[in-house]
Amino acid sequence: MRNAPTILHLDMDAFFAAVEQASKPSLRGKAVVVGGLGPRGVVATASYEARVFGVHSAMPMAQARRLAPNAAYLVPRFTLYRAISEQVMTLLRELSPLVEPLSLDEAFVDLEAGGAAWDEESARRAGERLRADIRAVTGLTGSVGLAASKMLAKIASEQAKPDGLVLIEPGTERDMLAPMPVRTLPGVGPATGDHLRRAGITTVRELAEAGEDELVRLLGKAHGQALYAMAHARDERPVVAEREAKSVSVEDTYDVDIHDRLRVGLEVQRLADRCVRRLRGAGLSGRTIVLKVRRYDFSTLTRSETLRGPTDDPAVIREAAARLLDSVDTTGGVRLLGVGVSGLADYTQEDLFAQAMPVRVVEEPEEAAVEAEAEQPEAAERHWRAGQDVRHEEYGPGWVQGSGLGRVTVRFETPQSEPGRVRTFFVDDPALSSAEPLPLVADPSHPPTRPGQPNSGRHGAPPRTPEERRDRKEPRGREEPRVREESRGREDSRVREESRGREASRVREESLAPGGDRVLDDARVPEGANLPVEARAAEEGRAPGEAHALDGAGIPGEARTPEEVGVPDEARASNEVGG
């Protein structure tokens, strides 16, 4: 144990939800839930406003909707989360070369190794400076814990939430831990907690008083000795800058159980190809191929096969995964499939290419899968997901608030703007397209974008001439859109357009066309709720591997959920590559 609190633990506050609130002014101060939006989706992160209603991470999304029906339910945007995470990690590396990331929003830092702190006062100054730098660079808040060990620093950051700093003075650790529940200690989950409770141990003080021999008898040698040391505030684990990846894997949870054996085989091959892309992206190969199958009754089967040497060849990995699938009974239905590679190395064993069976042609079933998908009617709304970034040629940047019945509702606002206006378009409107996320903190060298105003998406450029619009094959109805707003006291403004084709979107502010959805910008909710009532929409279809359902905002999304958490596989960071 150190004599100074020079180990820092940073945990960003409700990271995914906080990013969404920072990028969407209309959601600030309101309940936001991020995760898989399908019937089997799981909450990844909930804002503090949503937690008031009992919503928390790892909760089934259906249960979250029942607890907070008026919350905004959004799909994760991992591209943006990773970019902001890298900004935060860069600030941490400026403090010390020893930074141990645990996930996108959490890390340990050894301040002493970087000379950033050597005693209590300098550690506190470093922590406060870090919090200020994070707010200035990202616009977000983080909680900081400072202590003489990693375990205590993490406990301190939990006590500091949200947006705070807690420093545990050396010599006070045992007195601080004594009244805390045993679940406070790392490694004590629900099962271990229940086991200790049945033995009459509920607090850390009782854990320490039980003695090492009793804990070894209850929990086994390794776990019992580790918990006994933690109960006495002993934790000698160093901050490790590089953590070796143990495996690379991908998996999908399906909205509807898959019963067709051919479809199951095609899904396994698709997952194998995705796993290979992640392997090659990380410059790795592996020897052991792992297949994971969760059946209709929630029973989970894992099969593995170890090759003669490491490989990243897609044909070899597909062959191995297919052989493993042959040993699994899937007649009752499959709800989850996963393919992984372990035994990682940074080289490839060339002679393994001969393992791929030349008579098996994987292109044929892949083409069959494409044809099968083409035969299924797919709703265009599946391209517009709740929270997705978009840009309109006339109204600029915004985000998808709802879609359904052939229309998509967009709120035009940016991180630096006021809460924006809502407009509705046909889902196939050629002027509406996907866009990259905007930075949360404005670049002072560029003027802020004004969403919701004509041509704002072109950063102040003059309107296009009719010739330019013809070159871009824009509909004639977009040349001179005329909008006449009614008097201030009326709720809806009427938008009149001169168009000849269906391509021209009929935009109506504040409400949809008859038979469509209704959007309430500032809906009244029960006192204390302070939640948005978002658009309602009807479910119109789903694609293979995607779960489309109406979230609390009435917007379809997809739920591709890894492991038990149910978040898209890109979210996995711990001991995984590319997460």
Side-chain angles (χ1 to χ4, degrees):
M1 291 286 293
R2 303 186 180 191
N3 296 322
T6 55
I7 292 182
L8 179 148
H9 181 261
L10 171 71
D11 194 353
M12 301 296 290
D13 300 325
F15 183 52
F16 295 171
V19 170
E20 298 300 337
Q21 289 178 319
S23 63
K24 300 172 174 61
S26 59
L27 297 184
R28 293 171 188 169
K30 300 178 181 179
V32 175
V33 180
V34 179
L37 301 186
R40 293 175 177 174
V42 176
V43 175
T45 306
S47 68
Y48 288 99
E49 295 83 0
R51 297 181 189 186
V52 173
F53 296 89
V55 180
H56 57 78
S57 60
M59 171 183 287
M61 191 63 74
Q63 182 181 355
R65 291 193 182 105
R66 290 193 295 269
L67 294 174
N70 293 327
Y73 291 85
L74 309 175
V75 295
R77 297 186 295 164
F78 288 103
T79 301
L80 179 59
Y81 304 154
R82 278 190 286 265
I84 297 173
S85 174
E86 185 56 36
Q87 290 178 317
V88 174
M89 297 303 166
T90 299
L91 293 175
L92 296 181
R93 295 185 184 100
E94 293 176 357
L95 291 175
S96 171
L98 291 183
V99 176
E100 182 179 340
L102 304 179
S103 61
L104 290 176
D105 63 335
E106 187 178 1
F108 286 110
V109 183
D110 189 336
L111 297 177
E112 185 176 343
W118 51 90
D119 58 11
E120 179 180 335
E121 182 180 352
S122 59
R124 187 181 296 276
R125 287 199 306 266
E128 294 291 0
R129 185 171 64 251
L130 173 63
R131 293 177 58 231
D133 290 344
I134 290 175
R135 185 185 294 273
V137 172
T138 68
L140 304 176
T141 63
S143 298
V144 170
L146 292 162
S149 68
K150 293 170 68 173
M151 177 193 74
L152 293 170
K154 184 173 176 61
I155 292 174
S157 69
E158 287 295 325
Q159 292 181 329
K161 283 184 170 296
D163 191 21
L165 183 148
V166 170
L167 184 147
I168 300 178
E169 299 179 3
T172 65
E173 296 94 346
R174 292 190 61 178
D175 292 337
M176 182 205 67
L177 288 175
M180 293 184 175
V182 293
R183 290 288 304 275
T184 303
L185 300 179
V188 181
T192 302
D194 288 342
H195 192 51
L196 291 172
R197 180 182 53 79
R198 288 193 293 270
I201 301 173
T202 59
T203 66
V204 177
R205 176 185 288 110
E206 295 170 345
L207 194 67
E209 294 174 348
E212 184 174 358
D213 293 340
E214 177 66 12
L215 295 180
V216 169
R217 185 186 68 82
L218 290 172
L219 305 173
K221 183 176 181 180
H223 202 187
Q225 290 178 344
L227 284 185
Y228 182 75
M230 291 181 182
H232 286 80
R234 296 198 299 265
D235 180 16
E236 303 295 338
R237 295 175 299 162
V239 177
V240 181
E242 296 291 338
R243 295 204 309 165
E244 182 180 358
K246 297 180 180 179
S247 65
V248 176
S249 63
V250 296
E251 56 186 52
D252 278 352
T253 298
Y254 302 97
D255 181 23
V256 178
D257 291 347
I258 302 176
H259 294 82
D260 181 33
R261 184 73 177 186
L262 175 61
R263 168 76 187 284
V264 173
L266 296 177
E267 289 295 317
V268 168
Q269 292 191 21
R270 182 179 61 82
L271 292 170
D273 289 339
R274 284 172 51 196
C275 186
V276 167
R277 288 196 295 271
R278 296 186 65 186
L279 270 177
R280 292 182 171 179
L284 296 172
S285 59
R287 297 181 65 242
T288 302
I289 314 302
V290 180
L291 175 70
K292 178 179 177 181
V293 179
R294 181 167 297 149
R295 298 189 292 190
Y296 68 98
D297 57 356
F298 288 88
S299 61
T300 302
L301 305 178
T302 303
R303 301 288 184 267
S304 64
E305 175 180 325
T306 300
L307 307 177
R308 293 194 302 267
T311 183
D312 64 352
D313 180 57
V316 174
I317 295 177
R318 280 196 299 257
E319 291 281 355
R323 289 194 296 271
L324 295 172
L325 180 62
D326 291 339
S327 64
V328 177
D329 180 16
T330 62
T331 54
V334 172
R335 62 181 287 124
L336 178 147
L337 290 170
V339 174
V341 177
S342 59
L344 301 180
D346 56 1
Y347 67 94
T348 301
Q349 191 77 32
E350 296 296 336
D351 63 355
L352 284 177
F353 290 108
Q355 289 193 24
M357 298 173 59
V359 296
R360 188 184 291 241
V361 182
V362 297
E363 287 78 10
E364 292 181 2
E366 288 179 345
E367 292 175 358
V370 173
E371 293 175 0
E373 293 179 15
E375 294 174 357
Q376 298 177 355
E378 296 185 354
E381 288 89 335
R382 73 185 185 91
H383 298 295
W384 306 113
R385 304 183 301 163
Q388 178 182 350
D389 293 283
V390 296
R391 177 177 291 276
H392 192 275
E393 292 186 0
E394 297 294 334
Y395 300 104
W399 58 279
V400 174
Q401 182 167 294
S403 95
L405 302 180
R407 295 170 177 83
V408 56
T409 301
V410 177
R411 186 181 289 273
F412 290 99
E413 59 187 7
T414 68
Q416 292 77 41
S417 73
E418 297 294 327
R421 302 294 298 274
V422 174
R423 299 177 185 272
T424 304
F425 309 91
F426 285 120
V427 293
D428 57 355
D429 190 326
L432 188 67
S433 61
S434 299
E436 293 297 322
L438 296 174
L440 301 186
V441 177
D443 185 349
S445 61
H446 292 84
T449 303
R450 299 176 57 198
Q453 299 296 327
N455 299 301
S456 64
R458 303 178 63 217
H459 303 284
R464 295 189 181 96
T465 64
E467 291 75 10
E468 289 176 335
R469 287 197 287 268
R470 282 197 298 271
D471 291 339
R472 291 175 56 85
K473 297 182 180 180
E474 295 185 1
R476 291 183 58 190
R478 294 203 174 276
E479 293 182 8
E480 299 294 339
R482 295 186 302 173
V483 180
R484 286 175 26 181
E485 297 186 357
E486 297 295 324
S487 60
R488 182 176 303 175
R490 302 189 60 178
E491 293 182 1
D492 299 329
S493 62
R494 294 178 299 176
V495 179
R496 301 179 54 191
E497 297 184 355
E498 298 174 64
S499 62
R500 294 185 179 181
R502 183 182 179 277
E503 300 93 351
S505 63
R506 287 175 293 187
V507 181
R508 296 194 308 162
E509 302 175 3
E510 313 294 17
S511 63
L512 297 174
D517 306 332
R518 179 170 299 279
V519 178
L520 301 179
D521 283 343
D522 298 306
R524 296 185 179 271
V525 294
E527 182 177 357
N530 194 24
L531 303 174
V533 179
E534 307 293 349
R536 307 286 180 186
E539 177 180 4
E540 296 229 2
R542 58 176 61 90
E546 297 178 341
H548 294 267
L550 292 178
D551 56 22
I555 310 165
E558 62 182 19
R560 299 186 309 177
T561 58
E563 296 296 340
E564 302 297 333
V565 180
V567 183
D569 57 82
E570 291 82 359
R572 304 179 61 188
S574 178
N575 293 333
E576 299 266 330
V577 175

Short mmCIF file of all heavy atoms in Angstrom, two decimals, residues 266 363-376 378 544:
data_model
loop_
_atom_site.label_atom_id
_atom_site.label_comp_id
_atom_site.label_asym_id
_atom_site.label_seq_id
_atom_site.Cartn_x
_atom_site.Cartn_y
_atom_site.Cartn_z
N LEU A 266 -26.21 -19.80 -41.99
CA LEU A 266 -25.83 -18.56 -42.67
C LEU A 266 -25.46 -17.48 -41.67
O LEU A 266 -24.51 -16.70 -41.90
CB LEU A 266 -26.99 -18.08 -43.55
CG LEU A 266 -27.38 -18.99 -44.72
CD1 LEU A 266 -28.59 -18.44 -45.45
CD2 LEU A 266 -26.21 -19.15 -45.68
N GLU A 363 -19.79 -18.94 -51.02
CA GLU A 363 -20.46 -17.86 -51.72
C GLU A 363 -21.90 -18.21 -52.06
O GLU A 363 -22.75 -17.35 -52.15
CB GLU A 363 -19.71 -17.51 -53.01
CG GLU A 363 -18.41 -16.78 -52.78
CD GLU A 363 -17.31 -17.72 -52.34
OE1 GLU A 363 -17.53 -18.95 -52.40
OE2 GLU A 363 -16.24 -17.24 -51.93
N GLU A 364 -22.18 -19.50 -52.30
CA GLU A 364 -23.53 -19.87 -52.69
C GLU A 364 -24.56 -19.62 -51.59
O GLU A 364 -25.56 -18.96 -51.85
CB GLU A 364 -23.54 -21.34 -53.12
CG GLU A 364 -22.77 -21.58 -54.41
CD GLU A 364 -22.83 -23.04 -54.82
OE1 GLU A 364 -23.50 -23.83 -54.12
OE2 GLU A 364 -22.24 -23.38 -55.85
N PRO A 365 -24.32 -20.07 -50.36
CA PRO A 365 -25.32 -19.75 -49.33
C PRO A 365 -25.39 -18.27 -49.03
O PRO A 365 -26.44 -17.78 -48.65
CB PRO A 365 -24.81 -20.53 -48.11
CG PRO A 365 -23.39 -20.88 -48.39
CD PRO A 365 -23.31 -21.00 -49.87
N GLU A 366 -24.27 -17.54 -49.20
CA GLU A 366 -24.34 -16.11 -48.96
C GLU A 366 -25.25 -15.45 -49.98
O GLU A 366 -26.03 -14.57 -49.66
CB GLU A 366 -22.93 -15.49 -49.04
CG GLU A 366 -22.08 -15.86 -47.85
CD GLU A 366 -20.70 -15.26 -47.94
OE1 GLU A 366 -20.34 -14.82 -49.04
OE2 GLU A 366 -19.99 -15.26 -46.94
N GLU A 367 -25.13 -15.89 -51.25
CA GLU A 367 -26.02 -15.35 -52.27
C GLU A 367 -27.47 -15.72 -51.98
O GLU A 367 -28.38 -14.93 -52.18
CB GLU A 367 -25.62 -15.86 -53.65
CG GLU A 367 -24.27 -15.32 -54.12
CD GLU A 367 -23.84 -15.95 -55.43
OE1 GLU A 367 -24.58 -16.81 -55.93
OE2 GLU A 367 -22.78 -15.56 -55.93
N ALA A 368 -27.65 -16.94 -51.48
CA ALA A 368 -29.01 -17.35 -51.13
C ALA A 368 -29.57 -16.47 -50.03
O ALA A 368 -30.75 -16.14 -50.02
CB ALA A 368 -29.02 -18.82 -50.70
N ALA A 369 -28.68 -16.10 -49.09
CA ALA A 369 -29.16 -15.23 -48.02
C ALA A 369 -29.57 -13.88 -48.56
O ALA A 369 -30.57 -13.30 -48.12
CB ALA A 369 -28.05 -15.06 -46.96
N VAL A 370 -28.81 -13.36 -49.53
CA VAL A 370 -29.16 -12.08 -50.13
C VAL A 370 -30.50 -12.17 -50.84
O VAL A 370 -31.35 -11.28 -50.75
CB VAL A 370 -28.06 -11.61 -51.09
CG1 VAL A 370 -28.50 -10.36 -51.83
CG2 VAL A 370 -26.77 -11.36 -50.34
N GLU A 371 -30.69 -13.29 -51.55
CA GLU A 371 -31.97 -13.45 -52.24
C GLU A 371 -33.12 -13.55 -51.25
O GLU A 371 -34.19 -13.01 -51.46
CB GLU A 371 -31.91 -14.69 -53.12
CG GLU A 371 -30.93 -14.55 -54.29
CD GLU A 371 -30.82 -15.85 -55.07
OE1 GLU A 371 -31.49 -16.83 -54.69
OE2 GLU A 371 -30.07 -15.87 -56.05
N ALA A 372 -32.87 -14.28 -50.15
CA ALA A 372 -33.93 -14.42 -49.16
C ALA A 372 -34.29 -13.08 -48.56
O ALA A 372 -35.45 -12.78 -48.31
CB ALA A 372 -33.50 -15.40 -48.06
N GLU A 373 -33.26 -12.25 -48.33
CA GLU A 373 -33.54 -10.93 -47.80
C GLU A 373 -34.31 -10.09 -48.79
O GLU A 373 -35.19 -9.31 -48.43
CB GLU A 373 -32.23 -10.23 -47.43
CG GLU A 373 -31.50 -10.89 -46.27
CD GLU A 373 -30.20 -10.18 -45.98
OE1 GLU A 373 -30.05 -9.05 -46.47
OE2 GLU A 373 -29.35 -10.74 -45.28
N ALA A 374 -33.99 -10.23 -50.08
CA ALA A 374 -34.65 -9.43 -51.10
C ALA A 374 -36.12 -9.79 -51.21
O ALA A 374 -36.95 -8.96 -51.56
CB ALA A 374 -33.96 -9.62 -52.44
N GLU A 375 -36.43 -11.08 -50.90
CA GLU A 375 -37.82 -11.49 -51.01
C GLU A 375 -38.68 -10.93 -49.88
O GLU A 375 -39.88 -10.83 -50.01
CB GLU A 375 -37.90 -13.03 -51.00
CG GLU A 375 -37.25 -13.65 -52.24
CD GLU A 375 -37.22 -15.15 -52.14
OE1 GLU A 375 -37.64 -15.68 -51.08
OE2 GLU A 375 -36.80 -15.80 -53.09
N GLN A 376 -38.03 -10.61 -48.76
CA GLN A 376 -38.80 -10.11 -47.63
C GLN A 376 -39.05 -8.63 -47.79
O GLN A 376 -38.15 -7.87 -48.09
CB GLN A 376 -38.03 -10.36 -46.33
CG GLN A 376 -37.80 -11.83 -46.06
CD GLN A 376 -36.97 -12.02 -44.80
OE1 GLN A 376 -36.51 -11.04 -44.21
NE2 GLN A 376 -36.78 -13.26 -44.40
N GLU A 378 -39.06 -5.04 -46.85
CA GLU A 378 -38.35 -4.29 -45.84
C GLU A 378 -38.84 -2.85 -45.83
O GLU A 378 -38.93 -2.21 -46.86
CB GLU A 378 -36.84 -4.30 -46.10
CG GLU A 378 -36.23 -5.70 -46.01
CD GLU A 378 -34.73 -5.64 -46.16
OE1 GLU A 378 -34.22 -4.53 -46.44
OE2 GLU A 378 -34.08 -6.66 -46.02
N PRO A 544 -32.73 -9.35 -41.16
CA PRO A 544 -32.08 -10.42 -40.39
C PRO A 544 -31.04 -9.84 -39.45
O PRO A 544 -30.24 -9.00 -39.82
CB PRO A 544 -31.43 -11.28 -41.49
CG PRO A 544 -32.24 -11.01 -42.70
CD PRO A 544 -32.68 -9.58 -42.58
#
